Protein backbone atom coordinates (compact mmCIF):
# COMPACT_ATOMS: atom_id res chain seq x y z
CA UNK A 1 0.00 0.00 0.00
CA UNK A 2 1.49 3.35 -1.01
CA UNK A 3 2.60 5.55 1.87
CA UNK A 4 0.67 8.63 0.92
CA UNK A 5 -0.96 11.25 3.16
CA UNK A 6 -4.41 9.89 2.22
CA UNK A 7 -3.40 6.33 3.11
CA UNK A 8 -1.96 7.42 6.46
CA UNK A 9 -5.19 9.30 7.33
CA UNK A 10 -7.28 6.24 6.46
CA UNK A 11 -5.14 4.05 8.74
CA UNK A 12 -5.47 6.52 11.64
CA UNK A 13 -9.31 6.53 11.29
CA UNK A 14 -9.40 2.74 11.22
CA UNK A 15 -7.22 2.43 14.37
CA UNK A 16 -9.31 5.04 16.24
CA UNK A 17 -12.57 3.21 15.39
CA UNK A 18 -11.16 -0.09 16.63
CA UNK A 19 -10.05 1.52 19.93
CA UNK A 20 -13.54 3.01 20.49
CA UNK A 21 -15.18 -0.36 19.83
CA UNK A 22 -12.91 -2.21 22.28
CA UNK A 23 -13.51 0.43 24.98
CA UNK A 24 -17.31 0.18 24.57
CA UNK A 25 -17.25 -3.63 24.86
CA UNK A 26 -15.05 -3.50 27.98
CA UNK A 27 -17.31 -0.91 29.64
CA UNK A 28 -20.44 -2.97 28.95
CA UNK A 29 -18.81 -6.10 30.42
CA UNK A 30 -17.75 -4.23 33.55
CA UNK A 31 -21.23 -2.79 34.06
CA UNK A 32 -22.82 -6.24 33.76
CA UNK A 33 -20.32 -7.70 36.24
CA UNK A 34 -20.99 -4.98 38.77
CA UNK A 35 -24.74 -5.49 38.39
CA UNK A 36 -24.69 -9.24 39.12
CA UNK A 37 -22.25 -8.89 42.02
CA UNK A 38 -19.41 -10.82 40.44
CA UNK A 39 -16.99 -7.92 40.48
CA UNK A 40 -16.28 -4.89 42.59
CA UNK A 41 -15.46 -1.60 40.88
CA UNK A 42 -12.00 -0.32 41.58
CA UNK A 43 -11.54 3.09 43.18
CA UNK A 44 -12.38 5.79 40.70
CA UNK A 45 -14.21 3.42 38.30
CA UNK A 46 -17.55 4.72 37.04
CA UNK A 47 -20.59 2.40 37.15
CA UNK A 48 -23.17 4.90 35.91
CA UNK A 49 -24.33 5.91 39.40
CA UNK A 50 -23.34 8.80 41.64
CA UNK A 51 -22.69 8.04 45.31
CA UNK A 52 -23.70 10.99 47.51
CA UNK A 53 -21.20 12.19 50.09
CA UNK A 54 -21.74 10.89 53.65
CA UNK A 55 -24.12 12.94 55.81
CA UNK A 56 -22.45 15.13 58.38
CA UNK A 57 -22.26 13.62 61.85
CA UNK A 58 -25.01 14.83 64.20
CA UNK A 59 -26.03 14.30 67.83
CA UNK A 60 -26.86 10.71 68.80
CA UNK A 61 -30.19 10.64 70.65
CA UNK A 62 -31.56 13.28 72.98
CA UNK A 63 -29.32 15.04 75.49
CA UNK A 64 -28.91 13.35 78.86
CA UNK A 65 -31.05 14.92 81.57
CA UNK A 66 -29.40 16.01 84.81
CA UNK A 67 -31.79 13.87 86.88
CA UNK A 68 -32.61 10.18 86.43
CA UNK A 69 -35.45 8.15 87.82
CA UNK A 70 -35.94 4.68 89.25
CA UNK A 71 -39.40 3.16 89.47
CA UNK A 72 -40.36 -0.26 90.75
CA UNK A 73 -40.31 -2.51 93.80
CA UNK A 74 -37.66 -2.44 96.51
CA UNK A 75 -36.04 -5.86 96.27
CA UNK A 76 -33.02 -5.25 98.50
CA UNK A 77 -32.22 -2.91 101.37
CA UNK A 78 -28.75 -2.65 102.89
CA UNK A 79 -28.19 0.41 105.07
CA UNK A 80 -28.31 3.45 102.82
CA UNK A 81 -28.54 1.46 99.57
CA UNK A 82 -31.77 0.27 97.93
CA UNK A 83 -32.09 -1.95 94.88
CA UNK A 84 -35.22 -1.12 92.90
CA UNK A 85 -36.48 -3.66 90.34
CA UNK A 86 -38.68 -2.41 87.51
CA UNK A 87 -41.62 -4.17 85.84
CA UNK A 88 -39.38 -5.73 83.14
CA UNK A 89 -36.73 -6.92 85.58
CA UNK A 90 -34.38 -3.96 85.14
CA UNK A 91 -32.65 -2.86 88.34
CA UNK A 92 -31.38 0.44 89.70
CA UNK A 93 -29.27 1.13 92.77
CA UNK A 94 -30.55 4.01 94.89
CA UNK A 95 -28.30 5.57 97.54
CA UNK A 96 -29.75 7.61 100.40
CA UNK A 97 -28.16 10.34 102.51
CA UNK A 98 -29.31 12.87 105.11
CA UNK A 99 -30.63 15.19 102.40
CA UNK A 100 -32.88 12.53 100.78
CA UNK A 101 -36.59 13.31 101.24
CA UNK A 102 -39.01 10.42 101.74
CA UNK A 103 -42.76 10.98 101.21
CA UNK A 104 -45.91 8.85 100.99
CA UNK A 105 -48.18 9.03 97.97
CA UNK A 106 -51.68 8.92 99.47
CA UNK A 107 -53.40 8.45 96.13
CA UNK A 108 -55.16 10.65 93.57
CA UNK A 109 -56.36 13.92 95.04
CA UNK A 110 -55.04 13.16 98.53
CA UNK A 111 -51.60 14.69 98.27
CA UNK A 112 -48.47 13.43 99.96
CA UNK A 113 -47.57 12.66 103.53
CA UNK A 114 -44.23 12.97 105.22
CA UNK A 115 -42.33 9.83 106.15
CA UNK A 116 -38.90 8.70 107.21
CA UNK A 117 -36.64 5.88 106.07
CA UNK A 118 -38.61 3.32 108.06
CA UNK A 119 -41.20 3.47 105.25
CA UNK A 120 -38.62 2.09 102.81
CA UNK A 121 -38.84 -1.67 103.21
CA UNK A 122 -38.46 -4.61 100.84
CA UNK A 123 -41.63 -5.02 98.82
CA UNK A 124 -42.60 -1.35 98.78
CA UNK A 125 -43.32 0.33 95.46
CA UNK A 126 -41.23 3.48 95.06
CA UNK A 127 -40.30 6.22 92.63
CA UNK A 128 -36.88 7.79 93.17
CA UNK A 129 -35.40 10.95 91.68
CA UNK A 130 -31.67 10.38 91.29
CA UNK A 131 -28.87 12.91 91.02
CA UNK A 132 -27.40 13.02 87.52
CA UNK A 133 -23.84 12.93 88.88
CA UNK A 134 -24.36 9.53 90.53
CA UNK A 135 -24.89 10.99 93.97
CA UNK A 136 -27.58 10.17 96.50
CA UNK A 137 -31.28 10.27 95.63
CA UNK A 138 -32.90 13.64 96.04
CA UNK A 139 -36.41 12.32 96.71
CA UNK A 140 -38.07 8.93 97.16
CA UNK A 141 -41.85 8.57 96.89
CA UNK A 142 -43.43 5.50 98.50
CA UNK A 143 -46.41 4.59 96.31
CA UNK A 144 -49.58 2.67 97.21
CA UNK A 145 -49.20 -1.11 97.06
CA UNK A 146 -50.91 -2.61 94.05
CA UNK A 147 -51.34 -6.08 92.60
CA UNK A 148 -53.14 -6.81 89.36
CA UNK A 149 -53.80 -10.05 87.52
CA UNK A 150 -55.87 -13.19 87.16
CA UNK A 151 -56.80 -15.18 90.25
CA UNK A 152 -54.89 -18.47 90.12
CA UNK A 153 -55.64 -19.70 93.66
CA UNK A 154 -57.87 -18.84 96.62
CA UNK A 155 -56.90 -20.11 100.09
CA UNK A 156 -59.27 -18.64 102.66
CA UNK A 157 -58.56 -14.91 102.71
CA UNK A 158 -55.32 -15.24 100.72
CA UNK A 159 -55.65 -14.75 96.98
CA UNK A 160 -52.86 -15.48 94.49
CA UNK A 161 -52.73 -13.32 91.37
CA UNK A 162 -50.79 -14.05 88.20
CA UNK A 163 -49.65 -10.78 86.64
CA UNK A 164 -49.24 -10.08 82.92
CA UNK A 165 -45.45 -10.04 83.41
CA UNK A 166 -45.47 -13.62 84.73
CA UNK A 167 -44.98 -12.65 88.37
CA UNK A 168 -47.32 -13.76 91.13
CA UNK A 169 -48.66 -11.72 94.04
CA UNK A 170 -50.37 -12.90 97.20
CA UNK A 171 -52.98 -10.60 98.73
CA UNK A 172 -54.87 -10.92 102.00
CA UNK A 173 -58.44 -9.71 101.36
CA UNK A 174 -59.77 -10.02 104.90
CA UNK A 175 -61.57 -6.78 105.76
CA UNK A 176 -61.01 -5.29 102.28
CA UNK A 177 -63.67 -3.28 100.49
CA UNK A 178 -64.69 -5.52 97.57
CA UNK A 179 -66.24 -4.24 94.35
CA UNK A 180 -67.46 -6.63 91.65
CA UNK A 181 -68.01 -4.93 88.30
CA UNK A 182 -68.29 -1.63 90.14
CA UNK A 183 -70.87 -2.75 92.74
CA UNK A 184 -70.29 -3.60 96.39
CA UNK A 185 -69.72 -7.32 96.96
CA UNK A 186 -68.13 -9.69 99.43
CA UNK A 187 -65.04 -11.86 99.22
CA UNK A 188 -67.02 -14.77 97.75
CA UNK A 189 -66.96 -12.88 94.44
CA UNK A 190 -63.22 -13.56 94.21
CA UNK A 191 -62.84 -16.90 92.44
CA UNK A 192 -60.22 -18.54 90.25
CA UNK A 193 -60.21 -17.06 86.74
CA UNK A 194 -61.46 -13.63 87.77
CA UNK A 195 -59.43 -10.54 87.05
CA UNK A 196 -58.58 -8.68 90.27
CA UNK A 197 -56.96 -5.37 91.14
CA UNK A 198 -55.95 -5.03 94.81
CA UNK A 199 -54.35 -2.10 96.59
CA UNK A 200 -53.30 -0.83 100.00
CA UNK A 201 -52.11 2.60 101.17
CA UNK A 202 -48.51 3.69 100.72
CA UNK A 203 -46.33 2.46 103.55
CA UNK A 204 -48.57 -0.50 104.45
CA UNK A 205 -46.70 -3.50 105.78
CA UNK A 206 -45.33 -6.05 103.32
CA UNK A 207 -44.68 -9.58 104.54
CA UNK A 208 -41.39 -11.36 103.91
CA UNK A 209 -43.02 -13.33 101.08
CA UNK A 210 -44.12 -10.11 99.39
CA UNK A 211 -47.79 -10.42 100.34
CA UNK A 212 -49.80 -7.54 101.78
CA UNK A 213 -53.25 -6.93 103.24
CA UNK A 214 -55.44 -5.12 100.75
CA UNK A 215 -57.86 -2.39 101.73
CA UNK A 216 -59.65 -2.33 98.36
CA UNK A 217 -60.25 -5.09 95.83
CA UNK A 218 -61.87 -4.68 92.41
CA UNK A 219 -63.16 -7.85 90.73
CA UNK A 220 -63.76 -7.84 86.98
CA UNK A 221 -62.14 -5.81 84.27
CA UNK A 222 -62.80 -2.07 84.47
CA UNK A 223 -65.55 -0.62 82.31
CA UNK A 224 -64.03 1.54 79.54
CA UNK A 225 -64.68 5.25 80.07
CA UNK A 226 -67.37 7.01 78.05
CA UNK A 227 -65.70 8.85 75.14
CA UNK A 228 -66.25 12.62 74.94
CA UNK A 229 -68.89 14.01 72.60
CA UNK A 230 -67.68 14.10 69.01
CA UNK A 231 -64.97 11.45 69.51
CA UNK A 232 -64.74 8.82 66.73
CA UNK A 233 -66.48 5.51 67.45
CA UNK A 234 -64.17 2.60 68.45
CA UNK A 235 -63.68 -0.21 65.91
CA UNK A 236 -66.26 -2.99 65.91
CA UNK A 237 -65.43 -5.66 68.47
CA UNK A 238 -63.19 -3.45 70.57
CA UNK A 239 -64.03 -2.49 74.17
CA UNK A 240 -66.68 0.23 74.19
CA UNK A 241 -67.81 -0.49 70.61
CA UNK A 242 -71.56 -0.38 69.87
CA UNK A 243 -73.48 -3.62 70.40
CA UNK A 244 -73.93 -5.88 67.37
CA UNK A 245 -76.96 -7.77 68.78
CA UNK A 246 -79.42 -5.79 66.67
CA UNK A 247 -80.02 -2.98 69.11
CA UNK A 248 -79.96 0.44 67.53
CA UNK A 249 -77.70 2.84 69.42
CA UNK A 250 -79.17 6.16 70.44
CA UNK A 251 -78.39 9.06 68.15
CA UNK A 252 -75.79 11.45 69.51
CA UNK A 253 -77.07 14.67 71.07
CA UNK A 254 -76.03 17.82 69.24
CA UNK A 255 -73.82 20.15 71.26
CA UNK A 256 -75.57 23.06 72.97
CA UNK A 257 -75.91 26.03 70.65
CA UNK A 258 -75.38 24.03 67.45
CA UNK A 259 -77.91 24.02 64.65
CA UNK A 260 -79.74 20.72 64.35
CA UNK A 261 -79.98 19.46 60.75
CA UNK A 262 -83.42 19.56 59.14
CA UNK A 263 -85.00 16.70 57.22
CA UNK A 264 -83.82 16.55 53.66
CA UNK A 265 -80.85 18.81 54.32
Amino acid sequence: MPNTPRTRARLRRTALGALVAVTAVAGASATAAFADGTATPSPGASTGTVTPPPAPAGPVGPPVDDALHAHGTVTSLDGDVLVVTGPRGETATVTLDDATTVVLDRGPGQGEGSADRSALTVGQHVHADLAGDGGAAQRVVVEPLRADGEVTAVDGDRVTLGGPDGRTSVVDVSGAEVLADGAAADASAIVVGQHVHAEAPAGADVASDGSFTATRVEVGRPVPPTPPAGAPAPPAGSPGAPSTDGATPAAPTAPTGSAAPTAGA
Side-chain angles (χ1 to χ4, degrees):
M1 179 180 295
N3 187 13
T4 65
R6 180 177 297 179
T7 300
R8 289 195 296 272
R10 184 182 298 114
L11 290 175
R12 284 196 296 271
R13 288 196 298 271
T14 302
L16 180 60
L19 178 61
V20 171
V22 170
T23 302
V25 171
S29 300
T31 301
F34 300 152
D36 65 10
T38 58
T40 302
S42 60
S46 174
T47 60
T49 61
V50 177
T51 303
V60 180
V64 177
D65 196 358
D66 60 353
L68 304 177
H69 307 282
H71 185 269
T73 303
V74 178
T75 53
S76 175
L77 174 60
D78 183 9
D80 293 335
V81 179
L82 304 176
V83 174
V84 177
T85 302
R88 292 180 295 276
E90 68 278 17
T91 61
T93 300
V94 179
T95 304
L96 312 174
D97 64 11
D98 293 339
T100 303
T101 302
V102 180
V103 297
L104 301 178
D105 179 0
R106 292 176 173 168
Q110 300 183 43
E112 297 177 341
S114 60
D116 55 30
R117 293 193 191 183
S118 64
L120 300 175
T121 60
V122 172
Q124 294 288 350
H125 300 175
V126 301
H127 177 92
D129 296 331
L130 312 177
D133 58 2
Q138 302 166 349
R139 187 170 183 266
V140 179
V141 179
V142 182
E143 301 178 335
L145 296 172
R146 297 183 179 93
D148 192 89
E150 183 176 310
V151 178
T152 58
V154 177
D155 182 11
D157 292 327
R158 292 172 65 83
V159 177
T160 302
L161 305 178
D165 57 359
R167 300 184 185 182
T168 60
S169 303
V170 178
V171 180
D172 188 329
V173 299
S174 59
E177 176 190 9
V178 179
L179 299 175
D181 295 324
D186 56 34
S188 63
I190 305 173
V191 297
V192 172
Q194 288 279 12
H195 183 272
V196 163
H197 172 82
E199 59 184 46
D205 292 336
V206 179
S208 59
D209 62 356
S211 64
F212 65 90
T213 299
T215 55
R216 180 183 174 90
V217 175
E218 297 179 17
V219 183
R221 298 188 181 278
V223 178
T226 302
S238 64
S243 172
T244 57
D245 57 4
T248 302
T253 303
T256 303
S258 65
T262 58

